[in-house]
Amino acid sequence: MQYSWALQGRWSSEEGQQGAAGRTVTDIKGPYPISLVVYNSLADVKNLTFNTEIAYRGILLGAMKKIQASTDEFKFTIKETLDYGPYLLSVNGVAGNDKDQTYWELLSELQNGTIIMPDVGQ
């Protein structure tokens, strides 16, 4: 049986005029708010939610580093791989385990509330 924990990113933007590729003009002008939810399905602990901002088309790793630098309640470790880039090893001291088939999973919540597994690192 596989178990997972999830880091769920929630991106939002203000309504604005439609631009190229369906992006709104307001998306490009300023910081882009993001919420990061740490959910551990294996332990009876409350979900943790963190908020920060990233640049338009900014990366999740940058948001995670900003949050880690701003609070003692969020820590993570990664391993750099040559083929795939950063691999998430642990969050708040909880690491995945091959033997137990546990791992951290990165999920995204779309603006309509649908939660998806982004097509990255698979």
Side-chain angles (χ1 to χ4, degrees):
M1 177 177 269
Q2 287 189 338
Y3 296 96
S4 66
W5 307 283
L7 285 180
Q8 177 181 326
R10 185 175 300 132
W11 291 263
S12 64
S13 65
E14 298 175 16
E15 292 296 320
Q17 295 178 343
Q18 289 288 92
R23 302 280 184 209
T24 61
V25 174
T26 55
D27 288 344
I28 299 170
K29 287 184 179 177
Y32 207 64
I34 180 174
S35 295
L36 183 71
V37 180
V38 179
Y39 170 73
N40 183 341
S41 64
L42 301 179
D44 188 25
V45 295
K46 69 176 184 155
N47 295 349
L48 299 173
T49 302
F50 304 95
N51 299 294
T52 192
E53 294 178 336
I54 57 174
Y56 172 69
R57 294 199 169 196
I59 61 172
L60 178 60
L61 183 58
M64 291 170 64
K65 286 180 178 181
K66 285 175 72 172
I67 293 168
Q68 181 170 252
S70 70
T71 181
D72 290 333
E73 294 183 19
F74 179 70
K75 301 293 177 204
F76 70 97
T77 59
I78 60 171
K79 175 176 80 173
E80 286 289 334
T81 64
L82 293 176
D83 293 325
Y84 301 109
Y87 179 78
L88 186 60
L89 295 174
S90 70
V91 175
N92 290 345
V94 179
N97 183 305
D98 290 339
K99 180 181 163 218
D100 295 335
Q101 295 184 326
T102 58
Y103 57 94
W104 281 97
E105 183 174 47
L106 300 175
L107 304 173
S108 291
E109 182 176 342
L110 304 177
Q111 289 182 352
N112 67 7
T114 302
I115 297 174
I116 63 165
M117 183 186 309
D119 188 21
V120 295
Q122 296 180 5

